[in-house]
Amino acid sequence: MSVQSASDVPLRDVDGTPPNQTDDINQGALARMAYAFTQWAEKWFPDAFVFVIFAVIVVAIANFATGASPVAVAKGFGNGFWTIIPFTMQMAMVLITGYVLATSPFCTKLIDSLARVPKSSAGAVAWVAFVTMMASYLNYALSLVLGGLLCRALARRTDVRVDYRAAGAAAYLGIGATWALGLSSSAAMLQANPASLPKAISDITGIIPLSETIFLWNSIAMAFVIMVMSVAIAYYSAPKGKHARTAEDMGCDVSAPSEVAERPTRPGEWPEFTPILPILVGILAAGWLVTEFMAKSPLQVIGNLNTYNFVLLMIGMLLHKNIHSFLKAVTKSVPTTAGVLLQFPFYGSVAIMLTSVPGSDGVTLAHHIADLFVSIANGETFPIVIGVYSAILGFLVPSGGGKWIIEAPYVMQAAKDLGTHMGWAVQVYNAAEAIPNLINPFWMLPLLGVLGLKARDIVGFCVTQLVFHIPVVLFLLWILAPRAS
């Protein structure tokens, strides 16, 4: 289905007239800022696919600047194209399983109940931000799906005029603000798990327990401040009244799933409609999940994206009560995965071109960037310098765990040499890495698939968050830094 984005429609009031200057003043300073950024984004921000093509070209040129040969750059592009296919399929399954689960009668009622909590349009946007960020502490994929579906449920309300773009941006805050400070933190999980930690890192850092990373009081305090700030910005930047553009204004279909029960029309369709088959499969799934918890730590099981997708898919099948309803939901969810399936492989190429293509001196572009930042850091400035470095590279290589394996040896060696608290060094990486996500279409794609929007529709509100996040997060990384023991 073709979705009309905000940039395709002139920005006008409900009655068709442009908002006047008095209305702009009544919106408040943050709302006017978000409005200005949104106008710019709707005109100038490229499509997410064009964005990743630009990234490929820029990184290729940078490779040539370091003396890399054309053959090496071309090989890096081609060899990298399929490197994140497992992750691509995981994110596609996030969308499918999330949609299947959410369209079940039980979850539809649950999400609709959450959507009835806020009493105002700005409160609705702030509520989405809060729910999404709380969910991201458990699992970033959960925050994307839950946030997107909560936006759709809010858009179905007729008593509150919610700006669909602002709500969509708020639903993205789990990824753009807090995900790496919770149980989804790949870096923290790797450092705490001896079986997964590469020797090149463990020789430098040893095992760093979660109590020294995501459960460090400094980290919890930072996460709390970031969440409160983000919710406040979401509230005060949300357009109100005639300025708010609803899902209907945007041409997005947010209708609730049909609850009409279908029945078999011939004997051969009976297996599709019986609840027996989903129950039997659910029993097998429950048995496997028990073995996982018996063999691994609970945090390791919960933090595994494959386990998350598996559990949601099985629960979704059970809640749909029969195979027919389950398959119907899966079929309807597939179009939302198009952006992920097409664009993620190009990001895989960008990552390999950055981290595996050597220049004339035999050093990769990522290593050059790391050396530059590490060389100017000292014990006092390490959190800020490495925070900036992590944010810049995170914009080009949006992969938490994979990027940490590449960067950790020199980042953590620098932290060790400078006497920095090792667990806090991991959190510096985590907190700063989330910042570029606010304007990076890579992570937006799954959410945009659920919402039926384009990146340029929500990025103006995300930039408003970014303006505050950059100085506040870097300040928190510095002021909350503990002394090394």
Side-chain angles (χ1 to χ4, degrees):
M1 179 181 69
S2 176
V3 177
Q4 191 177 31
S5 74
S7 56
D8 299 324
V9 183
L11 192 57
R12 295 177 178 272
D13 286 342
V14 183
D15 58 7
T17 60
N20 59 46
Q21 190 173 5
T22 302
D23 288 339
D24 288 340
I25 294 174
N26 290 337
Q27 290 298 303
L30 276 181
R32 293 198 303 274
M33 180 189 294
Y35 178 73
F37 283 139
T38 300
Q39 282 191 309
W40 177 88
E42 289 170 348
K43 185 175 183 179
W44 294 105
F45 199 82
D47 183 83
F49 185 67
V50 174
F51 195 95
V52 69
I53 297 301
F54 281 160
V56 169
I57 294 172
V58 168
V59 172
I61 293 173
N63 279 141
F64 291 135
T66 65
S69 69
V71 172
V73 175
K75 282 187 176 179
F77 174 74
N79 292 342
F81 198 79
W82 304 114
T83 54
I84 61 171
I85 285 300
F87 182 64
T88 301
M89 291 306 300
Q90 284 177 326
M91 293 308 294
M93 287 302 295
V94 164
L95 287 170
I96 292 172
T97 57
Y99 186 90
V100 167
L101 187 65
T103 53
S104 66
F106 173 80
C107 287
T108 297
K109 293 176 181 177
L110 178 61
I111 293 174
D112 284 343
S113 297
L114 288 175
R116 288 193 292 270
V117 171
K119 305 302 180 184
S120 66
S121 57
V125 174
W127 176 240
V128 172
F130 174 76
V131 171
T132 300
M133 285 188 286
M134 289 301 294
S136 75
Y137 289 128
L138 297 176
N139 187 282
Y140 69 87
L142 174 63
S143 75
L144 285 173
V145 174
L146 179 59
L149 294 170
L150 180 56
C151 286
R152 291 171 61 95
L154 283 165
R156 292 194 291 269
R157 287 182 56 174
T158 58
D159 58 325
V160 176
R161 183 176 174 81
V162 180
D163 190 291
Y164 196 53
R165 304 161 303 171
Y172 189 54
L173 286 173
I175 286 290
T178 54
W179 77 271
L181 298 176
L183 296 178
S184 288
S185 171
S186 301
M189 289 296 183
L190 277 171
Q191 289 291 161
N193 187 356
S196 302
L197 191 62
K199 188 175 185 297
I201 301 176
S202 63
D203 286 348
I204 299 171
T205 66
I207 303 302
I208 304 176
L210 295 179
S211 60
E212 293 295 305
T213 53
I214 61 176
F215 293 136
L216 196 67
W217 78 261
N218 316 62
S219 180
I220 295 172
M222 177 168 60
F224 177 78
V225 172
I226 292 173
M227 184 178 70
V228 171
M229 175 186 68
S230 301
V231 171
I233 295 171
Y235 180 86
Y236 287 107
S237 64
K240 306 172 186 67
K242 290 185 175 182
H243 274 275
R245 295 183 61 79
T246 65
E248 183 180 2
D249 296 335
M250 304 291 291
C252 299
D253 179 15
V254 294
S255 57
S258 173
E259 295 187 12
V260 178
E262 298 184 56
R263 298 182 180 278
T265 59
R266 58 188 181 85
E269 291 180 345
W270 177 84
E272 298 176 34
F273 288 87
T274 179
I276 296 175
L277 296 183
I279 291 173
L280 293 176
V281 173
I283 292 172
L284 287 174
W288 175 82
L289 191 61
V290 169
T291 63
E292 284 291 287
F293 276 104
M294 291 175 63
K296 303 173 184 176
S297 69
L299 291 178
Q300 188 178 358
V301 176
I302 295 171
N304 188 303
L305 190 55
N306 284 334
T307 302
Y308 167 84
N309 280 331
F310 176 83
V311 170
L312 285 195
L313 194 67
M314 295 299 107
I315 293 175
M317 183 186 297
L318 287 170
L319 291 179
H320 275 275
K321 299 179 181 179
N322 60 65
I323 300 299
H324 179 84
S325 177
F326 171 74
L327 291 180
K328 189 175 179 180
V330 170
T331 301
K332 288 185 176 181
S333 71
V334 169
T336 66
T337 67
V340 170
L341 295 175
L342 177 63
Q343 296 175 45
F344 272 31
F346 285 92
Y347 281 104
S349 292
V350 170
I352 294 301
M353 291 164 68
L354 269 169
T355 60
S356 299
V357 176
S360 57
D361 56 358
V363 177
T364 66
L365 186 59
H367 207 125
H368 277 295
I369 298 172
D371 284 344
L372 172 64
F373 280 92
V374 170
S375 66
I376 62 176
N378 57 43
E380 185 71 15
T381 63
F382 180 87
I384 296 177
V385 172
I386 299 303
V388 172
Y389 158 73
S390 180
I392 291 174
L393 202 62
F395 189 77
L396 295 171
V397 189
S399 173
K403 190 159 70 73
W404 178 247
I405 291 174
I406 296 167
E407 299 173 51
Y410 37 85
V411 170
M412 297 305 283
Q413 185 63 58
K416 187 175 183 179
D417 294 342
L418 295 171
T420 301
H421 186 284
M422 300 298 275
W424 188 248
V426 176
Q427 291 305 89
V428 167
Y429 169 89
N430 280 334
E433 189 191 29
I435 294 175
N437 289 355
L438 286 167
I439 55 172
N440 194 335
F442 177 89
W443 292 110
M444 290 182 187
L445 291 172
L447 176 63
L448 295 174
V450 175
L451 298 175
L453 294 174
K454 293 185 178 181
R456 62 177 175 262
D457 297 328
I458 71 171
V459 78
F461 296 94
C462 294
V463 171
T464 305
Q465 293 277 354
L466 183 70
V467 168
F468 292 91
H469 277 239
I470 291 175
V472 170
V473 171
L474 292 179
F475 175 74
L476 291 172
L477 291 175
W478 173 72
I479 197 67
L480 292 176
R483 294 172 178 263
S485 55

